[in-house]
Amino acid sequence: MKPELPRLRHAPAPRLLVLALAASFGPAVAQQGPNPAAADQIDSVVVLGSARHDATVLTSSAPVDVITPAQLKETGAVTLNQALAQLHPSFNFPQGQNAVKGQGVRSASLRGVSPAYTLVLVNGKRRNASAQLTGTDPWPAATVVDLNTIPVTAVARIEVLRDGAAAQYGSDAIAGVINIVLRDASGGGEANLHAGGYTDGGGHTTDASAWKGVPLGEAGFLTLSAQRLKNTNVDRSEADWRQLFPNGDARNATFDKKYGQWGQAERDDKVALANAELPLTGAVTAYGWVNYANKESSNWVNPERVVKAVTNNPTVTDGTRLGENDVLALYPDGYQPWMRYRAVDVAAAAGLRVDDAAFGKLDVGLSWGDNETKRDTYNTANPAYGAASPTHFYLGSWKSDTASLTADWVRNVDAGLAEPLAVTAGLLGRHERWRTGDFGDVAGYAGGPLAGRTVGSLYPGTVYASDTSRIPTSGSSTSGIKPQDATDITRNVLGAYAGADARVTRDWQVGATARYEHYSDFGATRNFRLTSRYELAPWAALRGTLSSGFHAPSLAALGYQSTGTTSNWSNTGTGTLTPGQTRQFRPADPAAAAFGARPLAPERSRTISLGAVLRDDDRASLTVDAYRLKVKDVIIATETLQGATVTSAFNAAGLAGFTQASYYTNGWDARTDGVDVIGRRQWKLASGQLELSAAASLLNTQVENVHRYVTIGGAQILAIGGAKVRDAETGTPKNKLVLGARWSNGRWTTTASVTRYGKYRYNVGDVADSVAANGNRDQVFSPENYVDASVGYKLSERWKLDVNIQNVFNHYPDKYLTQNRASGINPYSFIAPNGASGRFVQAGFSYRL
């Protein structure tokens, strides 16, 4: 039962202040509980961030927000990731990623930092991460939880803790925690069918979903949920600005330069979830859930031109030569590969809860998750085989699995304080594994009969005969996983925590949590969290937290090795490299030490926050929370290391023919300062209920102690360029504002929101605003404003129709400067926070069972 909020005392001036601020800064996230009958409440009980089981959004000592199923549906978003991006001011995740830039895995980022720092829970249990080492510009690659494995219909509410909480929840909870609370219905149900697309073409979407509640015994439930989502890809490419063919080739004047495709990926997702609970006795309840996801994502990737790509001129072109990856017998005009990702993810949890007045509450649970991600590439070739090359290669797969056993206990103890002391304690054991699954097709990476020959020798008597470029000796630039890169790495974690939350006086509440964990690969880590809340008056309170945290390097970062050939594609001016083989080393590989690598250390954090809560009875609230998040030893990938001393180091290691090296390293320390403002105001009018809201997130990240250089063979080689640093500081918007309005009256529900992203920056060269080797240069993108709207109409108690429009005014972000279109055809950046697809219109119906 939701605790009743104290009524505002008679204080006209403060009351007017609360009302004015709440009307101006009301929250974009509806802070209401899962009970639809409580729609006029802006406070609800939450389980995140506190030892107390009666804490609410507004009485919590840390900033927590609650998002309801109605809000998720009214955004018109078809996935959890997209909905959270629209609803929450602190949530940032670029929505326009290409297939090879993370489109298949959509995770969560809070406070403008890497998604690796946000822990995702499902019903309070840690969700397993994807096996894919995902790069999502502008953040470094990481293995993260894919939010879109969970059907939207399975969600009862989403709780978002905007605070460091590793002492309570363990590794990854540096920037915050997202807890997805599952629907727990024993009856009823709903079916939904929606279809839509982008008004500028592409993205044709069909979204079918349903849930059904079934009773188990007299007091148990089984809730089944499923979703099928399909959409076609989006093409927003433009004519290639670069030269496509060698000098003197007539096609340079006649060929249609609008030949490629670039934009949002195609996908086909099938996800399902079953959640169940069954009381066994008056005090013991069994529970469990199972989640299955089968996801595919595919898209065109960077085109291969006939002309050779180089980095010594602004057009990235040597018009006298052919590209090493050309196979003119198969693709006389060049080609654009198509890549497909396929992931199967299975997760489950089961346990027993004991709720006894004398003993307290005990939850013993076992959770498990398994993910395999596969890749294929089509419309491609291995130039070492020439005309005999296959045009489709299976690139192999990665696998990951996690098993956790946890025991969590809480009990209220009478300690002579204003209220009973809430005491918590817990134990945990976790086993993690990340490994290579399948190897790629040998024909995709093996040196064929043409390997090592000059390109000109294949075309005697033509203008290409003098071309001395050499065909790669180890396959195409998109070759698959090779046997020498096989990995199987495991980790065991044991830990314990204890904490207490006390109301020292009627107005002052304090809490403390300490955690110890031992990692089989990193040893012991100890962390703490302190919280406090002081109620100045029934309408105003101060709150704050102080905590330490950690993020253990992912097994993928520790175990990943990749061997390939030089790519002809460059996004930074350093990607188009000296011909030869490349290797991304495992950080602890003894051979990597010659290139400056060293074993990774865990990332460690300190967070301090201070906030204020203002409220007017149960219809207006305002929260303001300032924070500082410091992360030490941030893990990133180095630049591609090359040069004469690098080649010599490869030769000394017995790796002749290799010319480029890279690896993950602890690159720098970072500090993020920010303020989140969230509030809301509700009115009951004769014509219905009106809710106005606004939320703002302001942040600034600074990087220091950068390990810029490594010494190889006595030479200083740049390991971390200035562009990587500037990405961390400016690659995401420094501010985000969300304004919202919702009006409901009987059969009608209408919502509208305005989202404003502050400016952000695309970074390339080592020196800010200088021109990189391939002509790229830094670019600042203007602030962006997007308007979303929805209208719903209840035909009856069972049937409801709705129309949703995202990006009503068809706004696009700034286009790239011409020289920044590194693939030639891409007019927009990967880091656009709202994507670059234009207006999306969707309509459909819901039927309540």
Side-chain angles (χ1 to χ4, degrees):
M1 180 176 178
K2 191 184 78 63
E4 183 178 353
L5 291 175
R7 304 292 291 184
L8 184 69
R9 296 171 185 163
H10 294 287
R15 182 184 180 98
L16 290 175
L17 175 63
V18 171
L19 292 174
L21 288 174
S24 301
F25 296 100
V29 286
Q31 302 181 37
Q32 62 188 41
N35 180 6
D40 60 336
Q41 305 295 319
I42 59 171
D43 205 12
S44 65
V45 175
V46 293
V47 299
L48 277 183
S50 175
R52 308 184 69 86
H53 279 225
D54 60 352
T56 70
V57 168
L58 298 181
T59 64
S60 172
S61 56
V64 185
D65 311 303
V66 174
I67 298 172
T68 66
Q71 291 174 277
L72 296 174
K73 180 180 291 188
E74 289 167 3
T75 63
V78 293
T79 63
L80 290 182
N81 172 275
Q82 185 184 22
L84 286 170
Q86 291 181 227
L87 289 168
H88 202 282
S90 185
F91 187 103
N92 284 286
F93 197 94
Q95 293 298 308
Q97 296 294 309
N98 183 283
V100 294
K101 302 293 287 186
Q103 175 73 18
V105 178
R106 314 297 283 171
S107 194
S109 168
L110 298 174
R111 294 184 165 178
V113 296
S114 168
Y117 300 156
T118 298
L119 176 64
V120 177
L121 308 174
V122 177
N123 272 6
K125 306 300 181 186
R126 178 184 292 261
R127 185 62 164 79
N128 63 293
S130 166
Q132 182 182 333
L133 192 59
T134 301
T136 304
D137 294 335
W139 300 300
T143 48
V144 295
V145 173
D146 185 356
L147 291 178
N148 295 346
T149 57
I150 299 171
V152 176
T153 52
V155 177
R157 68 181 186 276
I158 298 176
E159 300 175 343
V160 181
L161 172 62
R162 294 174 280 118
D163 191 41
Q168 287 180 275
Y169 302 106
S171 178
D172 307 346
I174 286 180
V177 182
I178 291 178
N179 183 33
I180 300 170
V181 181
L182 300 177
R183 193 183 295 274
D184 55 2
S186 60
E190 186 175 79
N192 307 277
L193 180 62
H194 291 80
Y198 290 96
T199 57
D200 286 339
H204 303 298
T205 301
T206 302
D207 179 26
S209 62
W211 68 269
K212 181 71 175 74
V214 179
L216 285 184
E218 295 184 1
F221 65 83
L222 170 64
T223 308
L224 304 172
S225 305
Q227 184 178 13
R228 174 72 182 275
L229 171 64
K230 294 189 67 174
N231 67 258
T232 61
N233 72 310
V234 176
D235 180 17
R236 295 294 178 264
S237 64
E238 294 184 349
D240 198 328
W241 65 277
R242 309 164 305 172
Q243 182 176 332
L244 301 182
F245 304 98
N247 295 343
D249 193 312
R251 288 173 295 180
N252 280 319
T254 61
F255 194 81
D256 183 4
K257 286 198 166 187
K258 174 62 177 74
Y259 66 89
Q261 293 193 44
W262 181 95
Q264 191 170 295
E266 174 182 288
R267 61 184 165 186
D268 185 356
D269 297 350
K270 298 173 281 290
V271 296
L273 192 145
N275 183 35
E277 189 172 295
L278 179 65
L280 302 179
T281 68
V284 181
T285 300
Y287 65 86
W289 54 265
V290 179
N291 182 198
Y292 171 82
N294 187 316
K295 301 181 58 189
E296 291 190 10
S297 177
S298 54
N299 210 357
W300 298 101
V301 293
N302 305 307
E304 301 273 4
R305 293 176 295 159
V306 172
V307 72
K308 181 176 175 60
V310 297
T311 60
N312 60 3
N313 65 70
T315 63
V316 205
T317 299
D318 183 343
T320 66
R321 305 165 75 184
L322 297 176
E324 292 89 341
N325 290 318
D326 286 340
V327 182
L328 298 185
L330 294 175
Y331 306 109
D333 297 325
Y335 57 99
Q336 186 177 13
W338 174 273
M339 186 170 286
R340 179 177 65 165
Y341 282 77
R342 294 173 289 159
V344 174
D345 190 289
V346 182
L352 295 174
R353 285 199 304 267
V354 179
D355 190 350
D356 181 81
F359 174 75
K361 297 180 179 180
L362 175 66
D363 184 329
V364 179
L366 175 66
S367 58
W368 168 84
D370 177 271
N371 181 281
E372 181 175 17
T373 299
K374 304 180 178 182
R375 295 179 302 151
D376 294 82
T377 184
Y378 303 84
N379 200 53
T380 188
N382 181 346
Y385 285 88
S389 172
T391 58
H392 161 234
F393 300 115
Y394 175 52
L395 302 181
S397 70
W398 300 288
K399 293 183 177 181
S400 68
D401 57 77
T402 303
S404 300
L405 178 64
T406 58
D408 301 285
W409 173 77
V410 60
R411 184 183 178 214
N412 291 332
V413 178
D414 189 355
L417 301 173
E419 291 183 1
L421 181 70
V423 179
T424 60
L427 300 171
L428 69 99
R430 187 167 70 250
H431 176 76
E432 302 175 7
R433 184 183 182 191
W434 187 86
R435 62 198 186 279
T436 305
D438 302 326
F439 297 130
D441 291 341
V442 174
Y445 59 79
L450 304 182
R453 292 180 58 179
T454 64
V455 172
S457 67
L458 303 181
Y459 306 101
T462 70
V463 294
Y464 312 131
S466 62
D467 194 333
T468 59
S469 301
R470 292 194 176 272
I471 298 171
T473 59
S474 58
S476 70
S477 60
T478 54
S479 56
I481 302 172
K482 303 172 178 60
Q484 62 262 41
D485 297 327
T487 297
D488 193 335
I489 185 170
T490 61
R491 167 188 292 158
N492 294 313
V493 185
L494 296 174
Y497 72 91
D501 194 296
R503 190 173 293 279
V504 179
T505 68
R506 187 177 68 88
D507 298 323
W508 185 27
Q509 175 185 324
V510 297
T513 304
R515 188 182 194 93
Y516 171 87
E517 290 193 359
H518 185 276
Y519 282 68
S520 58
D521 49 356
F522 288 105
T525 178
R526 300 169 180 84
N527 291 277
F528 71 90
R529 185 167 187 255
L530 305 175
T531 65
S532 182
R533 184 181 189 277
Y534 187 80
E535 191 162 297
L536 302 171
W539 51 269
L542 298 177
R543 62 187 181 189
T545 66
L546 175 65
S547 65
S548 66
F550 68 103
H551 175 246
S554 69
L555 292 180
L558 296 170
Y560 180 80
Q561 177 177 287
S562 175
T563 302
T565 59
T566 303
S567 170
N568 80 332
W569 183 81
S570 171
N571 199 47
T572 66
T574 60
T576 305
L577 304 163
T578 304
Q581 294 190 67
T582 68
R583 173 159 289 178
Q584 180 169 336
F585 286 96
R586 301 178 185 97
D589 186 337
F595 303 93
R598 58 186 185 275
L600 289 177
E603 298 164 288
R604 300 188 181 276
S605 70
R606 285 292 176 95
T607 303
I608 184 171
S609 70
L610 180 64
V613 179
L614 303 176
R615 54 183 178 173
D616 173 24
D617 50 55
D618 58 3
R619 293 192 175 277
S621 70
L622 174 72
T623 63
V624 181
D625 293 279
Y627 62 87
R628 169 168 289 180
L629 168 62
K630 300 180 71 174
V631 182
K632 182 178 176 60
D633 292 326
V634 172
I635 296 172
I636 62 170
T638 66
E639 307 290 351
T640 301
L641 311 176
Q642 63 175 334
T645 58
V646 174
T647 300
S648 296
F650 272 118
N651 292 333
L655 295 171
F658 283 80
T659 56
Q660 298 99 39
S662 63
Y663 46 83
Y664 283 103
T665 187
N666 296 105
W668 61 59
D669 301 334
R671 186 188 77 195
T672 300
D673 296 316
V675 179
D676 293 332
V677 182
I678 296 180
R680 183 182 178 190
R681 184 68 172 99
Q682 295 180 337
W683 290 271
K684 278 191 174 181
L685 307 173
S687 59
Q689 180 163 294
L690 176 65
E691 304 171 21
L692 295 182
S693 62
S697 178
L698 314 174
L699 60 90
N700 182 60
T701 296
Q702 296 293 321
V703 170
E704 57 187 9
N705 301 326
V706 182
H707 305 304
R708 279 179 55 81
Y709 295 96
V710 294
T711 301
I712 304 175
Q716 291 285 295
I717 305 294
L718 182 69
I720 300 175
K724 289 182 181 289
V725 174
R726 297 196 304 280
D727 268 351
E729 295 180 333
T730 64
T732 57
K734 289 180 177 293
N735 56 78
K736 180 181 177 182
L737 173 66
V738 185
L739 305 175
R742 184 180 190 273
W743 175 78
S744 59
N745 180 21
R747 296 180 180 273
W748 290 95
T749 301
T750 303
T751 68
S753 67
V754 178
T755 303
R756 183 188 190 277
Y757 296 97
K759 63 183 181 180
Y760 54 99
R761 186 182 181 105
Y762 169 71
N763 302 287
V764 283
D766 183 48
V767 179
D769 298 317
S770 63
V771 179
N774 65 348
N776 284 187
R777 67 176 304 152
D778 289 4
Q779 181 176 350
V780 176
F781 293 94
S782 305
E784 299 169 17
N785 300 293
Y786 297 95
V787 177
D788 304 317
S790 72
V791 177
Y793 180 73
K794 291 181 65 174
L795 296 171
S796 67
E797 288 302 312
R798 294 183 180 272
W799 290 93
K800 182 179 180 180
L801 303 179
D802 59 81
V803 176
N804 303 284
I805 305 176
Q806 299 168 22
N807 193 359
V808 172
F809 296 105
N810 201 30
H811 179 76
Y812 282 81
D814 292 346
K815 289 185 176 181
Y816 265 140
L817 300 173
T818 299
Q819 63 263 39
N820 287 341
R821 303 183 185 189
S823 69
I825 63 174
N826 57 312
Y828 301 103
S829 77
F830 289 121
I831 61 176
N834 203 57
S837 299
R839 181 193 298 112
F840 181 80
V841 179
Q842 177 180 258
F845 68 85
S846 301
Y847 177 75
R848 294 196 66 85
L849 304 177

